[in-house]
Amino acid sequence: MVEKSIFAQPSVSTEPTAHRTAVSGSSAAAWGLLLIRLVFGLLMAGHGAQKLFGLFGGGGLAATGRGFASLGYRPGQVFAAIGGLSEALGGLGLALGFLTPLAAAALIGVMINAMVTVTAAHGLWETSGGVEYNVCIAVVALGIAAIGPGPLAVDRFFRWGRGGWTEAACAAGLGGAGAAITLAL
């Protein structure tokens, strides 16, 4: 009688199938990641455009600046521009897969600021005004930095285009540092 051990080494490559096929731009993983990047990134860019230009029903820089000032950011319009540019450029960067760790950092930093100044006092769930939405945005941005933007991205030509621990740490660290500096001002 031959026993099979669950600890036996497989005779084929141990490299995950998803990783082997993700190298090709025609894999489902590559197209799925592109879909996530495009939808998430363009929606975040649109959110920034609401703040900056009043597009898509947003208040524009003047109204957003007054809102930021009411939260204690002085001068409010400058911080509104920083927040709007972070969302717009971070979103476009993720959508294109361009400078992915920096794009993720921009969104993470804005979301940390939003959590600290607006939503943390209301608990977890968005229905009560809590951090749920902000956490989701920050985690998706961090996840894309960790995974890498995929082969259907501008960053595919660069080392950071493969993602990894260093890229995730860069996104989290720079986002956190940017948020800390902004909150300290």
Side-chain angles (χ1 to χ4, degrees):
M1 179 172 171
V2 176
E3 289 185 37
K4 286 191 175 187
S5 170
I6 60 171
F7 301 108
Q9 296 294 322
S11 61
V12 295
S13 171
T14 59
E15 188 176 346
T17 303
H19 181 69
R20 281 184 278 152
T21 59
V23 175
S24 164
S26 64
S27 74
W31 286 96
L33 187 54
L34 176 64
L35 178 65
I36 292 168
R37 284 193 358 256
L38 284 174
V39 171
F40 179 76
L42 292 176
L43 286 173
M44 289 310 303
H47 198 68
Q50 289 176 317
K51 287 177 176 65
L52 294 170
F53 311 115
L55 299 176
F56 314 116
L61 199 52
T64 304
R66 288 190 295 276
F68 271 60
S70 73
L71 294 170
Y73 292 99
R74 301 278 190 278
Q77 202 161 356
V78 169
F79 283 97
I82 292 168
L85 284 169
S86 295
E87 290 174 348
L89 296 177
L92 289 174
L94 285 184
L96 294 170
F98 181 62
L99 300 174
T100 303
L102 296 178
L107 296 177
I108 291 168
V110 170
M111 291 305 114
I112 291 171
N113 271 281
M115 287 185 261
V116 170
T117 60
V118 180
T119 61
H122 303 286
L124 175 62
W125 301 111
E126 197 278 326
T127 53
S128 301
V131 298
E132 171 190 9
Y133 175 72
N134 306 120
V135 168
C136 289
I137 290 171
V139 169
V140 170
L142 181 59
I144 292 171
I147 295 167
L152 301 172
V154 175
D155 281 347
R156 72 184 174 275
F157 300 113
F158 304 104
R159 161 60 190 102
W160 61 83
R162 293 190 299 261
W165 288 111
T166 302
E167 290 75 8
C170 176
L174 289 175
I181 291 168
T182 302
L183 291 166
L185 297 177

